[in-house]
Amino acid sequence: MLHVGLVGPGSIADRRLAPALAKVRGAVLWSVCSRDRERAQAFAARHGARGPIFTDLADMLADPRLDAVVLATPDRLHAAQAIAAARAGKHVFVEKPMATDVADAEAVVRACEAAGIRLAVGYHLRFHPGLRALRERVVAGELGRVLHMRATWTFVERDANNWRASPEVGRWWSLAAVGTHCLDLVRWYLRPAHGEIERAHALTTSPVHRGPHDETAAVALRFAGGATADILTSVVFRAPRSIEVFGDAGSARGEEVLGPHGGGRIVVGDRELSYEPADPYLGELQDFVDAVAHGRAPEVDAVEGLANVRGLCEMTEA
């Protein structure tokens, strides 16, 4: 039974990760770490943690009964915490993005390789059953040669003090909240036929809160094999959340499939794709635990996390 510690008992951990972990085969929530002890205690009690409470990550990592950690902390903390966990011999599941610059992401990859630990990155859309089924059809050539893909994911954030708007703990806002998921999804679908992204550019704006980070981003991508993609993200307006895939023999569209739930409607050509909705957070955590148990790489490993960070940096530094 894998003893898992959770670092950063915020909203995503409370609403998604901890409830999913409670259903994972072969793992239990062991310990909780937060700078606020009372918050950690309340979280641990709410989710049935079986071990101690910590206010210092180093103390948590020194626990010999701890096997792995889930890092649900602000983005700029991910790399240093993942490296510390790897050096302590603990397996790591880290929320996306894995880091906020390429050098830090590369350091995470090296630390994991040196320590021989497994690291998974939290791109839960890969475990959405409908999106997995659609990808199988795309890769199998059901739409012919895929030429373009589009993803739109927006929501409204009314709090200008959201931590992603702060340069101290975040680098991107809409791109880190949801754009990084869209980037991973596009790479996942298009890489088998078109290789890696060779050019990326984002037009960003901050028209409402007027902070230093992107509130809206319009991204254009070109893959080595010739396919293109566009991504629209925002934290200041709500548009229909959708993906579209265009091939020379057909197209597909997913409506309200981007989000925390594993549901939504997917149409391939003129036929609706039938699938059973399922919790994608449970899927990604089960994959992580199984990867540790069987000594294999997680589906979304540190190398995949590095590729995503490279894409985010390239599109916003151009």
Side-chain angles (χ1 to χ4, degrees):
M1 187 65 68
L2 198 72
H3 287 188
V4 181
L6 188 138
V7 186
S11 61
I12 192 67
D14 198 30
R15 292 183 290 110
R16 301 295 173 192
L17 294 170
L21 183 61
K23 300 176 184 177
V24 169
R25 302 181 309 275
V28 294
L29 177 61
W30 174 249
S31 54
V32 178
C33 182
S34 173
R35 292 176 299 176
D36 186 328
R37 177 171 288 276
E38 290 185 2
R39 186 181 192 187
Q41 288 174 331
F43 185 95
R46 194 157 54 247
H47 295 289
R50 303 185 186 184
I53 300 300
F54 297 96
T55 57
D56 182 83
L57 179 61
D59 291 340
M60 175 189 243
L61 296 176
D63 180 2
R65 296 164 295 181
L66 181 70
D67 302 306
V69 292
V70 171
L71 302 178
T73 50
D75 299 343
R76 286 197 185 273
L77 306 182
H78 290 172
Q81 292 176 339
I83 291 169
R87 289 174 176 170
K90 314 301 183 184
H91 301 284
V92 180
F93 178 96
V94 59
E95 266 300 329
K96 50 71 194 172
M98 188 175 76
T100 53
D101 64 60
V102 173
D104 281 351
E106 290 174 337
V108 171
V109 172
R110 290 194 300 270
C112 293
E113 291 175 347
I117 64 98
R118 308 298 171 191
L119 182 143
V121 189
Y123 289 108
H124 67 272
L125 292 179
R126 294 209 191 192
F127 299 90
H128 182 298
L131 293 175
R132 289 180 78 87
L134 177 58
R135 180 182 182 270
E136 289 176 2
R137 296 188 173 207
V138 170
V139 173
E142 189 166 322
L143 304 183
R145 183 172 181 240
V146 177
L147 300 172
H148 187 72
M149 188 167 174
R150 177 178 297 141
T152 299
W153 190 349
T154 75
F155 63 98
V156 177
E157 174 58 75
R158 293 183 170 83
D159 183 6
N161 295 315
N162 182 283
W163 65 260
R164 284 196 175 92
S166 167
E168 285 73 31
V169 292
R171 177 174 177 180
W172 306 284
W173 196 345
S174 74
L175 285 170
V178 292
T180 183
H181 281 299
C182 295
L183 177 61
D184 181 71
L185 189 66
V186 167
R187 286 186 64 254
W188 187 42
Y189 270 58
L190 297 182
R191 276 185 65 215
H194 292 279
E196 274 294 355
I197 296 167
E198 66 174 13
R199 189 172 182 184
H201 181 66
L203 292 176
T204 62
T205 183
S206 301
V208 177
H209 304 300
R210 300 191 180 279
H213 297 164
D214 57 285
E215 295 171 15
T216 297
V219 178
L221 304 171
R222 185 176 71 205
F223 284 76
T228 53
D230 63 83
I231 295 169
L232 174 63
T233 65
S234 185
V235 298
V236 293
F237 64 83
R238 179 68 160 88
R241 297 175 180 174
S242 64
I243 67 161
E244 295 172 278
V245 187
F246 303 94
D248 61 9
S251 64
R253 177 179 176 84
E255 300 172 346
E256 297 302 321
V257 292
L258 305 182
H261 306 288
R265 182 171 183 261
I266 298 174
V267 177
V268 182
D270 59 357
R271 293 187 178 182
E272 186 164 350
L273 179 65
S274 177
Y275 69 93
E276 189 69 30
D279 181 1
Y281 289 88
L282 172 57
E284 65 180 0
L285 287 171
Q286 188 67 66
D287 175 71
F288 169 60
V289 171
D290 289 347
V292 172
H294 299 293
R296 63 165 175 84
E299 184 165 326
V300 192
D301 61 9
V303 174
E304 285 290 280
L306 169 60
N308 194 284
V309 173
R310 280 194 177 123
L312 290 170
C313 291
E314 180 181 349
M315 69 176 65
T316 53
E317 291 172 355

